[in-house]
Amino acid sequence: MSPPEQKNPFSVFSDTVLNAITEGVFTVDRNWRITSFNRSAEDITGVKVSEALGRKCHEVFCADICKSTCALKKSIETGREVISHDVNIRKNDGRVIPISVNTSVLRNEAGEIIGGEETFRDVSALEALRDEISLDVFILDSIADGAFTVDKDFRITSFNRAAEDITGVHRCEAIGRKCHEVLRANICQATCALKQSIETGRDVISHKVYIQDIENGVIPVSVSTSALRNAAGEIIGGVETFRDISTLETLRKEVSLGDFILDSIADGAFTVDADLRITSFNRAAEDITGVHRSEAIGKRCYEVFRADICKSTCALKKTIATGRDVASQKACIMDVENDLVPISISTSALLNERGEIIGGVEIFRDVSTMEALRKEISEKYSFQDIISKNHKIRNIFATLPDIARSESTVLIEGASGSGKELFAKAIHELSKRKGRYITLNCGALPDTLLESELFGYQKGAFTDAKTDKPGRFALAEKGTIFLDEIGDISQALQLKLLRVLQEKEFEPLGSTVTRKADVRVIAASNKNLQELMDEGIFRADLFYRLNVIKISLPPLSERREDVPLLVDHFIKKFNMLKHKKIKTVSPDVLDILMRHEYPGNVRELENIVEYCFVLCHGEIIEKKHLPEDLVPGVVGQEMFHESLRIEAKPLLNAEAGTIFEALQRFNGHRGKVAAYLGIEKTTLWRKMKKYEISFPSGRE
C-alpha cells in the first residue's frame, strides 16, 4: 500500500536526524502505518525503507507482542512512554532476534496524539551473554565476594548470592536494572570503576567504595572490576566483585584511636587486617624501615618489609591462621635503601568483640647492634665453617688464605673427627680453582675398588664394566680432590698415585690412553705418615710429594677452650634441623663436657649434642639429657683422682709436682704427658721412677 497523499504530519523527523541515530527508529500514524524508517531500522530488520513505508508496523516486524501487548499501541492509547520492553521480532530472512523497545507518542501543535514513535536495538549479543552467564551462575554463587555482571549499558545481567547478602537486594530485583540503581555507590556518578574498565578494557583492583544496602545503610566495600569480552575480543560488558570491609573499617577506627599508644612504644609496631594489609604503623617502625606510615598503610606487609621469612615462614600469617603468638623470631627485612636489617619479631592475633580473628599485630626490634657484636665475636673465633679460639688453630686460620692461593699439595694430619675435611674444603673454597671439590675416603675401599674410584675404567675393563665410568680425578678436573685416610692405601696404589702427583697424568682401568690431570691434591691421615715411612709401610717418595705443606690439627682434648663455642654452634645447627628452640646447656653439663677426653674429637661432641636434642624438650640441656655412659664416667673419674691424691707419696720438689699434675691432666697418658712437658717418654719414665710417682697408665 502506498503512503497517503496528504501532507505528512511527521515531517518534523527529518531523514538526516533519524539516520544519525544508531538505534532503529520508526514512526506510525493513528492507523499504525509506518511514516518514517531510519537506516539502523533497515540494518536490524533487513527491511528497506521503501518496503516499510506505508505498511502497518506488525506486518514489518512480526513481533511476538504485536497482537497482544503491543508497546506502541499502549503508548498511543495512554499517552505514556514504554521503556525497555523486551520483544522478539522476525527478520526479513526469517531469523528471530531479540530487541529492546522504547515507545512514545507524537502530538500535533494542538497537543493531540497523531501517532507514535518507537526506538529499538538489537540485544542478541546481550542475550548470548546472559545465556552464557546463566550457565556459570553456580560458579558466581561459589565466590565468597559479591559479584555481578553488566552489559554495555550497565544493566545487571547476573547477581550472585554474596551480592544479595551484602546489599540485601534479591537477584530477581537486581537483574535488568542499572548497577547504580542497585548499589547506589558514592562513585557511581563520578568515578565509576566498572565504567572505567568497560571503556578502557583495563582492570581496576581494590578500589575503596561506599554503597547503600536495601535499608539505606552505608557499607564500605573493596571493589575490583574487569571488562567482559565476546569470542571476537570485543567488550560486551563488565564484571565487578566487591568485599564488605565493615569489620576492617571498625578495626581501623579502633587502631586510629590507639595510635598514640603505638607511638609510645620504643619497638617497631604495626597492625594488619586478615588480608595482611597494614592498618597502623608506628613511629619506631618508620625509623627502622625508613618507610613513612602514609606509604605503608594499605599495603600488604610483605610489600613494605620484604623480609626473608615473608614467602615461607611468615610469623604474622601463622599467628592469624592459628591464633597462637610467636615470640622472638629472628628475621631480616629490607629498609627503604635496600639494606638488610636484622630484627627480632613477636606477633599476636587481633580479635573482635565475638572473639573472631580480624587481623594481627607485630612488634619488631632492630637487633643490628647486637648482631654486629655477635658477628664480630663469631668472626674472631671462626673461619669458613671452622670454629676455634685455640692458638694453634688460629695460627692455621692465618695461613689458610696463602695456602689456598698456592697450587701446592697439602697434607693434613690429625685424629679422626678433628675436622680435617673442613680445612680441606676451606682451602678449596678460598682457592681460585674453578673445578669441583671431590672427596674420597681411601680407608673405606679395598685396593681393587679404590683404583677404579680414583682413575675410573673403560667399558670391558672387567666383567661388570658395561659402560665407561670417570674416576674421581676426572671429576675433579681443574678443581680439588680430597683423599682422606691416605695412610691406608697399599704400596701398589701408592705408586700409581705418585705418578699422578709427579707427571700430572693417569690411565683409567682397561685403557691404553694416558689422560692429563689438572687437579690439586689435599691428603689427610689420622696416622703419622712419617712413622709409617720409617717403618717401610708408606713410600718415602710419595710422602715427600704429599708433605709439601703440612697442617697438624690438635685433638679436642688439647683445645678444651673450644668446647663452649662448639656446643653453641651445634645447638644452633640442630635447632634449625630439628625445629627446636634450645638455648644453652646447664653449668653442670658444660662442666662435664669440658672435662671429657673426646677420643672421637669434635665429631664425638657433635654426636653428644645431637643425643641431647632427642631427649631435651625444654630450652636448656640438663645433666639427665646426657648419654648414660658419659655421666658415670665423669663421676668415676672424680673418685679416681681423689684416691690418687690420697695414695700418692709426698712430692719432694716442684719438678715432681709438675709431672704429677700433668699425669692427672692427661689421665696417665704417657705420650701426651711427655709431649706436654717437652721431654721424651723414656725421660718421663726415669723421672717417675726417681720421684716414686705411681700413676695408672692411660691409653697410648
Side-chain angles (χ1 to χ4, degrees), residues 383-396:
F383 190 92
Q384 298 283 350
D385 291 328
I386 311 163
I387 298 171
S388 178
K389 59 181 179 180
N390 175 265
H391 71 282
K392 292 182 180 179
I393 301 294
R394 288 178 58 74
N395 288 339
I396 297 172

Side-chain angles (χ1 to χ4, degrees), residues 25-67:
V25 180
F26 68 94
T27 57
V28 297
D29 59 18
R30 291 297 299 259
N31 294 319
W32 314 109
R33 293 190 182 280
I34 296 174
T35 56
S36 64
F37 201 77
N38 76 343
R39 285 199 190 100
S40 294
E42 286 183 318
D43 295 338
I44 295 172
T45 63
V47 178
K48 294 186 179 298
V49 63
S50 59
E51 298 171 349
L53 292 176
R55 295 173 65 187
K56 290 191 175 183
C57 55
H58 67 79
E59 297 172 346
V60 174
F61 287 90
C62 305
D64 54 0
I65 64 169
C66 284
K67 294 182 180 180

Side-chain angles (χ1 to χ4, degrees), residues 28 122 130 150 171 180-181 202 206 216 366 379 400 457 509 524 534 555 557 575 690 698:
V28 297
D122 184 352
R130 283 195 176 114
V150 298
R171 72 183 65 184
H180 69 81
E181 298 172 345
R202 297 174 183 170
S206 299
N216 293 323
D366 183 352
E379 288 177 351
L400 273 187
Y457 56 78
L509 288 177
D534 293 341
S557 59
N575 272 332
K690 174 183 176 181

